[in-house]
Amino acid sequence: MLVKAETSPIRPKPSRRLESVRSPLWLACLCTFVGILIGGVWRDDWAIWLQIAAAAGVLIIAFRFVQVSFTHKRVVQAESIHTPIVESLLAYSPIPLAVIDLQGNFVEMNAASSRLIGYEAHELLGKSFFPLIDSTNEEGSLAAFGQMLESDLTDMTIDIKHAYGYSFKLNISTAPVIRNGSCIGVLIISQDVSDRNRVQERIRYMANYDDMTGLPNRHSFMKLLDDRLTDARVRGDVGQLAIFQLDVDRFKLINASFGREFGDMLLLQVAERLTRGLTEMDAAARMEGDEFAILYAHAGDEQELDRKAKELKLLLDEPFELQGFPLHITASIGIAVNHAIGDDASLLVKKADLALAKVKDSGKNDYLCYSEEWDDSSRERLALEHDLKIALQKEQFVLHYQPQYHLGTGEMVGVEALVRWEHPERGLVPPGQFIPLAEENGLIVQIGDWVLREACRQNKAWQDAGLRQIPVSVNLSIRQFMQQNLHQKVADILHETGLDASYLDLEITETMTMDVTHASGCLLELTKLGVTISIDDFGTGYSSFHYLKNLPIGRLKIDRSFVRDIQQDPSDAAIVAAIIAMAHNLNLQVIAEGVETEEQKQFLQEHSCDEMQGFLWSPPVHGAAIMDILKQAV
């Protein structure tokens, strides 16, 4: 791109358009002169033709002079408008523009350039451009200036010193300024790219680092881990890289109690402590939420891993000071080591996550190293979860019923509904294998609803068959109990099956009553329907006289763990006797579960326990067997 300079005071050379006019003009003038000269002497026909030629020559001359005049006028007009355009650009353009001569001195600059570098135009005009260049890239900028003079267009980024003393990035595009075919200077078009660079750097930072703690994020950590594992494979080195996945215990409770700002402050301090003692080869990252990961470049043996885990827990043992409030926290840690040459970043983190999950399932506040033996159990767990969903769709669940007997008369006074899973390939799956999994993934609500509906339907069917009317007990899961519409769901099932509410007993655990507000409201709504409420596994959870006194509870079930050892352990015997006496003083019925020996039954009778259930008199059986027992009673 060439930039034409302003018109020189020296008269410009005629344009090629004017030169193209000269040849026809000379020919026309010659024809006119000869025609006039000879036409005036000869008087014959040739003279007439010569006069015609002379007249044509005059017309040509006149036309050419008009054409030359018009062309010259257009050239003058074009040259006359050039100067105002340049002046308007310099005065009003928001784009910084400047012109420097061949020595690098400013000869012109607009107001935008002045604002960009902080100098007034009069402070720089006639002075060199080079002192503005930051000394760190002065040599390269001088070489680039030489390139400006030699090439048509140049684009580069340089560091410029502002009038206030700081440096900033400036992208400049240059073009030579041409006059009469010669370069007389350079036009500079500038753009401040500091903000753009800062935005790009911010985007890069946010893509690789956690904005709150400043630690690398999951993306950055996984890339680092993958690079380290690749290097280890090249060296054939296994068993040296260790991943510690750390999760702050009860962090959701902290957030709910004190607010998210409080929780963020805690995570910031946790991040700072986790980086203590790390070497240059180690790395810590915030993976998500309250979960952190630490990469140790030299894992060492099992004793070394154990030592590192204990050090991490000690770092978090010291209370955290948050807005003047001392807070103690614990953490769960899962550990995985690259024992296999084929371990990649995702697989190693997955192993550490699995170890962490086992720690949390086991009560938290501990650490555990991943074992390769877990692979099969993990696949089995996933397969079981899939089959569990199929079981709901294909109705593979059945109910067994365990009779409940009156200890005084030996009469069956009720049954407890117990769910079983009849798997088409696995056979009868014990509740202990699928109930915890269902509680974890939420399927327990659907299973619980089916159990409640089926138990009510079956009991109503026994009654319709003319058998003796007895209540059926159904266990509620904590997920069911926390539903806001539980009482309405129970009412709908009772209405659907036609069972009277007095023949339904709902069993809850002690831990469900910890939220007293919800528990009292929910239980009152259920008892209004006429349903009986029992506390299952009493004595193993949150035992409190408060909820026994204030909640509408009708019966206590003594946990089998106390009944089992009442003959061998005096403490268990004392506990069972105390529970029976306390319940009776509160006008509550008592039933003991897990009764398997005659001695256990006699102990319960001696202490006036009301009812019992257990293998001594009957294990859980199909509904048909219960029907036979009821028929015998009739």
Side-chain angles (χ1 to χ4, degrees):
M1 184 181 86
L2 303 180
V3 180
K4 187 176 180 182
E6 295 186 17
T7 307
S8 170
I10 302 175
R11 184 176 179 180
K13 295 172 62 177
S15 67
R16 294 181 63 185
R17 184 182 294 272
L18 293 178
E19 290 178 355
S20 66
V21 175
R22 289 181 177 177
S23 297
L25 282 176
W26 283 112
L27 181 60
C29 289
L30 179 62
C31 292
T32 302
F33 176 74
V34 172
I36 293 173
L37 179 63
I38 299 177
V41 178
W42 292 354
R43 297 296 183 182
D44 54 12
D45 292 339
W46 284 102
I48 294 172
W49 286 106
L50 288 172
Q51 289 175 354
I52 291 172
V58 170
L59 289 175
I60 291 172
I61 292 170
F63 174 75
R64 290 300 183 186
F65 271 111
V66 170
Q67 186 177 24
V68 168
S69 176
F70 180 74
T71 302
H72 179 69
K73 182 178 180 180
R74 284 198 302 174
V75 171
V76 170
Q77 287 176 343
E79 292 177 345
S80 63
I81 200 173
H82 176 76
T83 298
I85 289 175
V86 171
E87 290 176 351
S88 295
L89 282 173
L90 289 172
Y92 302 111
S93 174
I95 300 174
L97 301 172
V99 179
I100 59 176
D101 59 21
L102 299 181
Q103 288 72 43
N105 299 320
F106 284 101
V107 295
E108 188 61 84
M109 63 187 301
N110 65 352
S113 291
S114 297
R115 291 191 298 269
L116 180 63
I117 58 180
Y119 292 94
E120 295 293 335
H122 66 84
E123 296 180 272
L124 294 178
L125 291 179
K127 295 181 181 178
S128 176
F129 169 74
F130 300 115
L132 296 179
I133 301 174
D134 192 274
S135 57
T136 56
N137 62 355
E138 186 174 2
E139 183 176 347
S141 299
L142 291 174
F145 178 71
Q147 184 183 353
M148 296 179 197
L149 303 178
E150 297 174 2
S151 61
D152 191 14
L153 287 172
T154 304
D155 187 87
M156 69 183 73
T157 299
I158 60 175
D159 290 318
I160 293 294
K161 290 185 290 188
H162 193 271
Y164 291 161
Y166 63 87
S167 295
F168 64 99
K169 294 284 184 183
L170 195 65
N171 179 262
I172 61 173
S173 298
T174 66
V177 178
I178 304 300
R179 174 184 288 170
N180 299 332
S182 300
C183 178
I184 63 171
V186 177
L187 172 67
I188 301 177
I189 305 170
S190 308
Q191 181 184 11
D192 183 3
V193 294
S194 298
D195 289 341
R196 183 178 68 188
N197 289 346
R198 280 192 291 269
V199 170
Q200 291 175 345
E201 179 61 24
R202 177 63 176 166
I203 293 173
R204 187 197 68 82
Y205 180 87
M206 293 178 66
N208 292 282
Y209 292 90
D210 176 53
D211 194 42
M212 185 179 69
T213 63
L215 294 178
N217 59 13
R218 174 180 286 273
H219 169 77
S220 179
F221 182 81
M222 297 297 284
K223 185 177 183 304
L224 173 64
L225 179 57
D226 197 50
D227 291 342
R228 295 286 181 84
L229 289 170
T230 301
D231 293 342
R233 281 194 293 270
V234 171
R235 298 191 307 267
D237 189 11
V238 296
Q240 286 301 310
L241 293 177
I243 299 297
F244 283 54
Q245 289 279 97
L246 183 145
D247 188 89
V248 178
D249 297 332
R250 302 180 302 123
F251 182 72
K252 289 184 179 179
L253 178 61
I254 295 172
N255 259 351
S257 301
F258 300 100
R260 290 190 175 273
E261 295 80 5
F262 198 95
D264 290 345
M265 292 171 60
L266 174 62
L267 292 178
L268 190 62
Q269 294 188 37
V270 169
E272 186 277 326
R273 293 194 189 183
L274 293 180
T275 57
R276 297 177 187 176
L278 296 182
T279 67
E280 292 183 358
M281 296 299 294
D282 302 332
R286 183 188 180 198
M287 303 298 274
E288 58 188 11
D290 60 321
E291 188 174 310
F292 296 85
I294 301 175
L295 169 62
Y296 287 106
H298 303 289
D301 54 17
E302 291 185 9
Q303 289 75 19
E304 181 65 16
L305 291 174
D306 185 74
R307 185 187 65 81
K308 291 180 184 295
K310 289 179 178 178
E311 285 182 352
L312 283 177
K313 292 183 67 62
L314 282 174
L315 284 174
L316 302 179
D317 278 348
E318 184 181 347
F320 291 84
E321 190 74 22
L322 298 172
Q323 297 180 353
F325 183 84
L327 179 67
H328 291 268
I329 67 169
T330 59
S332 301
I333 303 173
I335 307 169
V337 182
N338 68 325
H339 287 306
I341 195 70
D343 283 346
D344 60 15
S346 297
L347 183 57
L348 200 60
V349 169
K350 175 186 172 184
K351 291 178 178 179
D353 278 335
L354 185 56
L356 175 62
K358 284 188 174 292
V359 173
K360 296 181 79 68
D361 289 344
S362 301
K364 306 179 181 179
N365 190 24
D366 202 353
Y367 59 90
L368 187 63
C369 192
Y370 174 82
S371 172
E372 298 295 337
E373 298 175 355
W374 296 349
D375 280 344
D376 292 339
S377 62
S378 298
R379 296 190 190 97
E380 174 68 17
R381 185 180 179 86
L382 290 174
L384 193 64
E385 182 173 353
H386 172 74
D387 290 349
L388 196 58
K389 294 179 181 178
I390 300 299
L392 273 171
Q393 298 171 3
K394 296 187 176 181
E395 298 182 351
Q396 295 175 357
F397 295 107
V398 296
L399 286 185
H400 287 185
Y401 301 88
Q402 186 168 33
Q404 298 171 339
Y405 296 93
H406 192 280
L407 275 169
T409 64
E411 182 183 32
M412 187 173 71
V413 292
V415 292
E416 180 180 6
L418 302 169
V419 66
R420 299 292 186 264
W421 179 10
E422 290 185 340
H423 195 282
E425 297 176 1
R426 303 170 187 264
L428 196 64
V429 182
Q433 289 188 15
F434 69 89
I435 292 296
L437 181 61
E439 289 177 341
E440 181 181 323
N441 60 28
L443 291 176
I444 193 66
V445 174
Q446 299 176 55
I447 295 174
D449 291 346
W450 179 87
V451 169
L452 180 61
R453 180 176 287 103
E454 177 62 17
C456 291
R457 185 202 65 77
Q458 180 64 79
N459 198 11
K460 179 60 176 174
W462 290 331
Q463 293 179 4
D464 291 343
L467 302 177
R468 187 164 56 86
Q469 297 179 347
I470 59 173
V472 60
S473 298
V474 177
N475 291 279
L476 290 179
S477 70
I478 190 168
R479 283 180 178 261
Q480 284 179 286
F481 187 69
M482 295 307 294
Q483 295 180 104
Q484 298 298 321
N485 63 337
L486 176 62
H487 69 282
Q488 186 60 52
K489 185 176 292 186
V490 172
D492 292 342
I493 290 175
L494 290 171
H495 176 74
E496 175 187 332
T497 59
L499 181 68
D500 189 275
S502 61
Y503 295 106
L504 175 63
D505 177 64
L506 295 178
E507 297 185 2
I508 64 173
T509 62
E510 294 174 277
T511 53
M512 295 183 191
T513 64
M514 291 181 67
D515 185 350
V516 178
T517 302
H518 173 79
S520 59
C522 180
L523 295 179
L524 283 172
E525 292 289 344
L526 290 172
T527 51
K528 285 180 182 178
L529 298 175
V531 173
T532 304
I533 304 298
S534 296
I535 297 293
D536 193 17
D537 301 332
F538 184 78
T540 62
Y542 176 70
S543 299
S544 171
F545 289 106
H546 175 77
Y547 75 77
L548 292 177
K549 174 185 175 183
N550 294 285
L551 297 180
I553 296 166
R555 185 170 66 163
L556 298 184
K557 293 187 74 173
I558 302 175
D559 186 68
R560 66 181 64 248
S561 63
F562 297 115
V563 175
R564 182 179 59 241
D565 297 326
I566 55 177
Q567 295 301 312
Q568 294 81 24
D569 190 339
S571 297
D572 283 347
I575 291 173
V576 171
I579 292 174
I580 296 172
M582 175 197 67
H584 286 164
N585 287 329
L586 292 172
N587 296 318
L588 300 177
Q589 280 192 317
V590 183
I591 179 172
E593 58 181 350
V595 180
E596 299 180 355
T597 67
E598 189 68 29
E599 291 76 17
Q600 293 170 349
K601 185 194 73 155
Q602 290 177 359
F603 178 91
L604 294 170
Q605 287 175 329
E606 290 172 0
H607 290 81
S608 303
C609 184
D610 300 301
E611 300 168 2
M612 60 152 278
Q613 74 180 76
F615 278 72
L616 177 62
W617 280 353
S618 176
V621 295
H622 286 285
I626 299 297
M627 179 175 286
D628 292 338
I629 298 174
L630 290 174
K631 286 180 179 179
Q632 294 174 6
V634 174

